[in-house]
Amino acid sequence: MRLHRLSITAFGPFGATQEVDFDALSSAGLFLLHGPTGAGKTSVLDAVCFALYGAVPGARQSPGASLRSDHAPADLPTEVQLELTVGGRRLEVTRSPAQPRPKKRGDGFTVEKAQSRLRGYDPERGWQALSKSHQEIGEELTQLIGMSRDQFCQVVLLPQGDFARFLRADAEARGKLLGRLFDTRRFAAVEDRLAELRRGAEAKVTAADERILALAQRTAQAAGPVGAEATPIVARPGEPGLAEAVLEWAAIARSTARERLDIAHAVVTAAEGRQRAARHALDAERERDRLQRRYEETRRRSAALEERRPEHDRCQERLERARTADRVAPALDLREEAERAHRRAADDLDRARAQLPPDLADAGPDQLTELERRFRQELGGLESARRAEARSAEIDEERDRLERESRADDATVRDADAWLAGWDTVHAGLRERIATAQEAATRAEQLAGLLAPARRRLDAARRREALAAEAETAREALAGARERALGAHETWLGLRERRLRDIAAELAAGLVEGAPCTVCGSAEHPAPATEGDGHVDRATEEAALTAHRRAEEARTRAEQALGLVRERHAAAAAEARDAEPSSAAAAADAGTEPDPGPSVGELRDLVERLTAEHAGAHRLAAGTHAAREALDVAEREHLKRLELRQEAERRAAARTSRREALDREQAVLRDELAVVRGESGSVAAYAERLTRRVALLADAAEAVRAEQEADRRRKEADGRLSDAAFRAGFDTPEAAAATLLDASAQRELQHRIDAWQAEAAAVAERRGERDAREAAEQDPAQPAAAQRGFEAAERLLRAASSARAAAEERCAELSRLSREAADEVRRLGPVRQEYERIARLAGLAAGTSADNERKMRLEAYVLAARLEQVAAAATARLLQMSSGRYTLVHSDARTGGRRAGLGLHVVDAWTGSERDTATLSGGETFFASLALALGLADVVTEEAGGVRLDTLFIDEGFGSLDDQTLDEVLDVLDSLRERDRSVGIVSHVADLRRRIPVRLEVVKERQGSSVRHRLA
């Protein structure tokens, strides 16, 4: 990573815009950033960190602190812009923090949200906007740099004060710093995960023990008093031996319960014998009691039967007389029917006479029939008059029809005249409609020629938008491929380094007794090297190299895919602009931004407008045929209207002659009908009145004859009824009617008679029973005493059966619970083994296990390995700075009761002693911490995937060095230029200005600080 240019506006102590040219400063390899205290030297580094990560280093990112300069005018926004090269890409990142700005309307201020912009430089197209999203920019830069903000602040902006404290700090403080730098949270997460798994497994074991203990408690409840004989369980859930104690206790309870069950079987057998004897005695006593009560009941029924005998005789006699009177019933029914028919005939006669004239009220049937005959003859003579009246009505209807036809023809003539009056206007309008449709057809062809290219441009614009999303996806895939390639490269380098460390063992594996060694040439091999833990063979290294090459190939394919998508996107954009793709390339060569062309919405609006216009023109053009048809129809209608008017005029002349002939015929018919109608309004009315008179006379004559016939039949029924009553033995018909009974009354009497006779037969049968008579002669039965004896025996049997059932249920429940307990114990075995395995791993990772001799946590163990690498890298520079005197070494020895792992000692070559780094003097502490910072930068850089750091900053501490040591330190820093690095020293030591000619001076002024470049 190399910094090129930094622009600071209204940031920290800088009230105006300040430009820092890192390319000019880095040309000498070593430059000095100096200025008075409080001028803003550290603020320059803060601006770099803010541009990359959107925040300043943690110690200066206090809550509520504002990055905006108090010296800046209100209308000048705070902004930091950094141009850098990282990961082979030239980028420009611009950030503005959240800050107040004057309101556009009214007085006061409003808060402007934080903004970020990222641009990339393309040699062909120049600067291209990449993103405006905080999250996307942060992820992109972090991925390219390969370090978090904390790592960047420790590796690139080397704060010497922090490393001096690191040298003097205890293991816990060193662990926190190293944990932030190397991101060992995953190892701490492994510790937490193992602890969580241990708690989960422990909970499963405890839950299983609780289930087993719950089964033991249920077993104790099921055993009842039997369980009191066994030894109580004292183990608790989670303790070993609980399962075995529960199984042993359950076995004792089952054995005792089976003994109790055998005793209960014997008791039930004895109780069943006593119950059977008591049952036989109860049945015998109940049978004697039943027979005694049956005999007594028979005596009572016999006495009651004799008391009801007189009533039985009366019912017998009444039923016989009613059956005799049934022979008179038909005659009685006939008499009643004749009486009802005579009353109906008399009523009909009264109604018919009421409608006759008074002089015919007492007329006989012959007189009424004669009058009916005369009226019928007169009615027949009116037929000729009816035909004349019908013809007159037909003439009236024909005159009305002629009048309607006349009105219809008049309306037809008027309608034709009105239609023909506007014929010229209609004819001209139809011809104009045909001309308009022909013009629309021409316009539709022109619009069709414009619509097809517009649709192609719209499709191209849509492809352009889709390909833009594909390009973004391809960029993300390329970033992932680069990350995987870096990871594979790091893995291969790590394996290669491990293999080189153990290469002696690999060479020793190829030694042959008596053959010379390929390294030293000796034929004797007294102590060949052996493979250590984690040895890496050649096959493993080659597999890692193959994976690295595949990852590089995948990265290359991703770059090619991104290039292809970009080409397709450019072609689609050119087609959407309706331009050739070469025009976009020409614009890029000229250094100008290619015109993105119209948007999808604009092209869609254009297509919709052309489509609407084309559809309208097409609709008008489609009406050409219809317009011609309408003209033909109108011309045919014109001819038809002329013909209709001529026909109506001819029909009017014919109707006039016909109306005169009908008037003459109607006058003759009216004279004839005036003579026949008389007082009636018409012949039909006169005929209807005669018809009603004929009907009344016919009905009256028929009613007189019907009344006379009904009276004759009534007299005949009276004679037959008197004769039938006499033959049945009754004095009068009224006496026979009084004796009659209906069918239900006769059935009721017969039922009472039958019931008495059935009861008499039953009593006679029961009086002949011998066993009942013998039982009545014995002593009274005592069924209650026998019932009490049986109930006592039944209670004893139920109690014994209940005890046996309870014992059987207890045995079954104990067996079932024992099986469940055994199953739970079997299921607990693998769970307990899993818990013990996880507990050993969790204890080992947490440093609490006896197997972990140094009591080191897993995270501390990883950090110890990193610290060992840092100490080795720092020693290479510390030896040069201290003239070969000091060496940094890692120590994992325990101090006091603390855990081991993160100790750091310095070895003094002059004395040969090893002592703690806290014993170094001030100057020694500075160059030791500087060496440690540079070594840490190398290790973190390698950890970040090998991202090259071409620009470093070292902050303060040089004032504590003497001249010789300062020269040695500067020589070490100057050696960094051999790797094409540039180092910026942040210091206010005056002697450094003489030694370092290239400087960036920060000047403190009243209106805000400013920067000045001092180049050699």
Side-chain angles (χ1 to χ4, degrees):
M1 181 189 71
R2 177 178 295 275
L3 305 181
H4 298 293
R5 183 182 57 84
L6 175 68
S7 175
I8 307 173
T9 302
F11 182 86
F14 303 103
T17 300
Q18 303 295 323
E19 297 282 346
V20 178
D21 188 355
F22 286 112
D23 287 337
L25 295 173
S26 302
S27 60
L30 189 66
F31 64 91
L32 177 66
L33 175 60
H34 69 98
T37 301
K41 299 184 297 297
T42 306
S43 296
V44 175
L45 307 184
D46 291 347
V48 173
C49 184
F50 177 74
L52 294 176
Y53 295 95
V56 297
R60 294 183 288 278
Q61 188 72 35
S62 59
S66 175
L67 300 178
R68 180 170 176 77
S69 175
D70 295 334
H71 301 283
D75 58 348
L76 181 63
T78 299
E79 183 180 89
V80 175
Q81 186 179 84
L82 177 64
E83 184 179 337
L84 73 160
T85 297
V86 59
R89 299 173 61 187
R90 185 79 172 254
L91 301 176
E92 180 190 81
V93 57
T94 305
R95 293 187 187 267
S96 298
Q99 55 188 307
R101 64 166 176 81
K103 292 183 177 179
K104 296 180 179 179
R105 297 180 180 179
D107 299 333
F109 291 84
T110 183
V111 177
E112 184 79 17
K113 293 183 179 180
Q115 298 180 5
S116 300
R117 298 186 301 277
L118 180 65
R119 296 199 304 168
Y121 182 76
D122 189 329
E124 297 181 356
R125 296 184 295 175
W127 288 104
Q128 301 291 318
L130 300 180
S131 177
K132 292 184 179 180
S133 170
H134 299 293
Q135 182 177 358
E136 291 180 359
I137 295 174
E139 292 176 354
E140 179 76 10
L141 291 177
T142 302
Q143 183 178 5
L144 291 174
I145 298 172
M147 290 181 284
S148 65
R149 185 188 65 176
D150 291 338
Q151 291 176 323
F152 180 84
C153 293
Q154 294 290 339
V155 173
V156 179
L157 312 178
L158 302 178
Q160 297 307 307
D162 290 350
F163 283 96
R165 287 190 296 272
F166 182 81
L167 288 172
R168 298 187 178 93
D170 55 10
E172 183 178 0
R174 288 182 184 138
K176 290 181 179 179
L177 175 61
L178 293 174
R180 291 197 308 270
L181 292 179
F182 294 104
D183 192 15
T184 56
R185 290 176 295 179
R186 59 186 183 277
F187 300 102
V190 170
E191 297 178 20
D192 296 339
R193 178 58 179 166
L194 287 174
E196 182 182 355
L197 291 176
R198 180 184 61 188
R199 290 192 295 271
E202 184 179 4
K204 291 180 181 179
V205 172
T206 303
D209 283 349
E210 289 177 350
R211 289 195 297 270
I212 294 174
L213 192 59
L215 287 173
Q217 293 174 354
R218 290 169 59 189
T219 304
Q221 294 175 356
V226 175
E229 301 178 6
T231 304
I233 302 172
V234 296
R236 308 301 300 170
E239 297 179 1
L242 173 64
E244 291 75 9
V246 169
L247 293 178
E248 181 181 357
W249 183 87
I252 296 173
R254 288 199 308 275
S255 177
T256 305
R258 291 194 185 97
E259 295 176 358
R260 298 278 181 99
L261 178 60
D262 295 338
I263 296 173
H265 278 303
V267 173
V268 169
T269 302
E272 287 177 346
R274 289 192 296 272
Q275 188 265 351
R276 283 194 298 271
R279 182 70 195 180
H280 292 324
L282 177 60
D283 292 342
E285 199 66 21
R286 284 178 174 174
E287 180 63 18
R288 187 173 63 169
D289 180 65
R290 184 186 68 79
L291 293 173
Q292 288 177 351
R293 286 188 285 105
R294 181 178 178 84
Y295 184 78
E296 185 64 28
E297 180 184 0
T298 301
R299 291 180 57 192
R300 290 196 305 272
R301 289 172 64 182
S302 178
L305 190 63
E306 289 301 325
E307 290 178 358
R308 296 202 308 273
R309 183 180 291 276
E311 181 183 358
H312 166 69
D313 294 341
R314 288 193 298 272
C315 289
Q316 185 87 27
E317 180 182 2
R318 186 179 178 190
L319 180 59
E320 291 176 354
R321 286 180 60 81
R323 288 175 176 172
T324 301
D326 284 344
R327 294 195 294 270
V328 187
L332 284 171
D333 294 340
L334 183 60
R335 171 67 175 76
E336 291 178 359
E337 178 61 28
E339 181 64 28
R340 287 195 296 272
H342 180 266
R343 284 197 297 271
R344 287 196 298 271
D347 292 340
D348 293 341
L349 179 59
D350 291 340
R351 285 193 296 272
R353 289 185 182 277
Q355 296 181 5
L356 294 176
D359 55 342
L360 297 177
D362 296 329
D366 296 337
Q367 182 181 358
L368 294 174
T369 300
E370 179 61 22
L371 287 174
E372 177 190 356
R373 185 182 59 78
R374 289 203 306 268
F375 284 142
R376 286 185 183 277
Q377 291 177 353
E378 185 178 357
L379 185 61
L382 295 177
E383 186 62 28
S384 176
R386 286 179 177 175
R387 287 195 299 270
E389 189 174 42
R391 177 55 185 163
S392 176
E394 292 175 358
I395 292 173
D396 291 338
E397 292 177 358
E398 187 174 358
R399 287 173 60 85
D400 294 339
R401 180 180 59 79
L402 293 174
E403 187 64 29
R404 289 193 300 272
E405 291 178 355
S406 176
R407 288 195 296 270
D409 287 342
D410 292 342
T412 300
V413 171
R414 289 194 300 272
D415 186 34
D417 292 340
W419 191 90
L420 292 172
W423 163 246
D424 294 336
T425 303
V426 172
H427 188 261
L430 290 174
R431 289 192 174 277
E432 183 179 357
R433 177 181 170 188
I434 293 173
T436 302
Q438 291 174 347
E439 293 176 358
T442 304
R443 175 60 177 165
E445 293 178 359
Q446 296 174 353
L447 291 173
L450 296 175
L451 184 58
R455 286 174 175 169
R456 287 195 298 271
R457 293 179 64 193
L458 176 59
D459 294 339
R462 288 171 175 166
R463 289 198 308 275
R464 179 190 64 195
E465 300 298 329
L467 289 171
E470 291 184 13
E472 183 64 25
T473 304
R475 280 194 292 271
E476 294 176 358
L478 176 58
R482 286 174 175 170
E483 182 178 358
R484 288 190 292 272
L486 290 175
H489 184 252
E490 179 184 1
T491 302
W492 171 59
L493 291 178
L495 292 175
R496 181 176 179 84
E497 181 181 356
R498 287 166 57 190
R499 183 187 173 210
L500 292 176
R501 285 201 301 266
D502 293 341
I503 195 66
E506 185 174 338
L507 293 174
L511 292 177
V512 179
E513 187 67 28
C517 175
T518 59
V519 178
C520 64
S522 175
E524 296 180 357
H525 317 296
T530 59
E531 296 181 355
D533 294 338
H535 174 68
V536 177
D537 55 10
R538 181 170 182 170
T540 304
E541 181 190 352
E542 290 179 351
L545 178 58
T546 301
H548 165 59
R549 289 173 177 171
R550 289 176 180 172
E552 286 295 330
E553 292 175 358
R555 180 182 63 79
T556 303
R557 288 194 299 270
E559 290 176 348
Q560 293 174 353
L562 178 59
L564 179 60
V565 171
R566 284 175 173 171
E567 291 177 1
R568 294 169 58 195
H569 178 267
E575 187 176 357
R577 292 192 302 271
D578 197 12
E580 293 296 330
S582 58
S583 63
D589 295 338
T592 60
E593 292 284 346
D595 183 14
S599 64
V600 174
E602 294 173 349
L603 291 175
R604 184 171 55 247
D605 294 341
L606 175 61
V607 170
E608 291 176 354
R609 179 176 60 79
L610 291 176
T611 302
E613 292 180 1
H614 178 266
H618 188 269
R619 283 195 300 270
L620 290 175
T624 304
H625 180 71
R628 294 184 184 278
E629 289 290 334
L631 179 60
D632 294 341
V633 170
E635 290 176 347
R636 289 195 297 270
E637 181 68 17
H638 177 256
L639 296 176
K640 180 180 176 182
R641 296 279 182 166
L642 292 175
E643 293 175 356
L644 287 176
R645 185 173 62 178
Q646 294 173 1
E647 289 292 333
E649 292 175 351
R650 286 195 296 270
R651 286 195 299 271
R655 277 194 302 273
T656 302
S657 59
R658 178 58 179 168
R659 189 180 296 114
E660 293 175 355
L662 291 176
D663 290 341
R664 290 192 297 269
E665 185 179 0
Q666 183 70 287
V668 175
L669 292 174
R670 285 177 180 173
D671 294 339
E672 294 178 359
L673 291 175
V675 177
V676 177
R677 288 172 180 170
E679 298 177 357
S680 300
S682 63
V683 176
Y686 182 67
E688 183 181 358
R689 187 172 62 180
L690 289 179
T691 302
R692 287 197 301 271
R693 288 180 180 179
V694 168
L696 289 175
L697 291 174
D699 292 342
E702 182 62 27
V704 171
R705 285 192 288 269
E707 190 274 337
Q708 291 174 354
E709 180 64 20
D711 183 62
R712 183 184 63 77
R713 290 179 179 177
R714 184 182 61 177
K715 291 177 180 179
E716 290 178 356
D718 286 340
R720 291 177 182 176
L721 176 59
S722 298
D723 185 55
F726 178 75
R727 284 197 301 271
F730 293 99
D731 296 336
T732 62
E734 289 75 10
T739 309
L740 280 174
L741 292 176
D742 56 12
S744 61
Q746 291 185 17
R747 283 195 300 272
E748 176 64 24
L749 289 176
Q750 185 64 48
H751 176 71
R752 293 166 65 182
I753 294 169
D754 293 343
W756 188 91
Q757 291 175 352
E759 178 68 11
V763 169
E765 181 181 0
R766 293 180 64 172
R767 289 178 69 88
E769 294 176 353
R770 180 179 178 182
D771 53 353
R773 187 169 60 252
E774 292 175 353
E777 296 174 355
Q778 298 177 7
D779 295 333
Q782 299 293 330
Q787 179 68 30
R788 287 192 295 273
F790 173 74
E791 290 176 353
E794 186 75 15
R795 284 194 298 273
L796 292 175
L797 177 60
R798 284 197 299 271
S801 299
S802 299
R804 182 181 64 181
E808 291 175 346
E809 183 179 358
R810 182 178 297 111
C811 288
E813 184 66 12
L814 288 176
S815 298
R816 185 183 66 80
L817 292 174
S818 297
R819 288 193 299 273
E820 291 184 8
D823 294 340
E824 285 291 341
V825 171
R826 283 194 297 273
R827 285 192 292 269
L828 175 61
V831 176
R832 185 175 290 279
Q833 293 176 0
E834 179 70 11
Y835 165 67
E836 292 174 354
R837 183 178 65 84
I838 293 176
R840 286 196 302 272
L841 287 175
L844 187 64
T848 59
S849 173
D851 298 333
N852 192 334
E853 297 178 356
R854 299 187 181 277
K855 303 301 180 183
M856 292 178 64
R857 292 172 49 244
L858 176 62
E859 184 181 13
Y861 178 78
V862 175
L863 292 176
R866 295 301 188 191
L867 182 58
E868 187 174 357
Q869 295 175 351
V870 172
T875 297
R877 295 184 174 88
L878 181 60
L879 285 173
Q880 184 177 356
M881 294 180 187
S882 62
S883 300
R885 179 179 180 182
Y886 294 118
T887 302
L888 286 175
V889 295
H890 162 251
S891 174
D892 56 2
R894 300 178 62 185
T895 58
R898 299 179 179 177
R899 297 183 179 183
L902 297 179
L904 190 62
H905 291 174
V906 61
V907 178
D908 191 344
W910 291 1
T911 63
S913 62
E914 180 178 334
R915 52 194 173 97
D916 192 272
T917 54
T919 62
L920 295 173
S921 64
E924 293 171 340
T925 299
F926 167 72
F927 61 70
S929 62
L930 177 59
L932 185 66
L934 295 174
L936 181 63
D938 293 338
V939 175
V940 172
T941 301
E942 183 180 358
E943 175 72 14
V947 177
R948 179 179 176 85
L949 301 178
D950 297 319
T951 306
L952 297 177
F953 295 92
I954 301 175
D955 191 1
E956 289 298 345
F958 293 89
S960 60
L961 303 178
D962 55 35
D963 292 342
Q964 180 182 355
T965 305
L966 181 60
D967 290 337
E968 293 174 351
V969 169
L970 290 179
D971 290 342
V972 172
L973 296 178
D974 193 56
S975 67
L976 296 176
R977 291 189 298 175
E978 298 175 359
R979 305 179 186 178
D980 196 21
R981 285 183 177 177
S982 61
V983 180
I985 298 176
V986 183
S987 178
H988 50 71
V989 177
D991 193 35
L992 289 176
R993 304 175 195 171
R994 176 181 57 80
R995 296 172 181 263
I996 302 175
V998 178
R999 302 189 299 276
L1000 177 67
E1001 182 181 4
V1002 182
V1003 181
K1004 182 166 59 175
E1005 300 173 346
R1006 179 178 296 275
Q1007 65 273 15
S1009 299
S1010 60
V1011 298
R1012 298 175 183 174
H1013 295 74
R1014 307 293 186 184
L1015 305 178

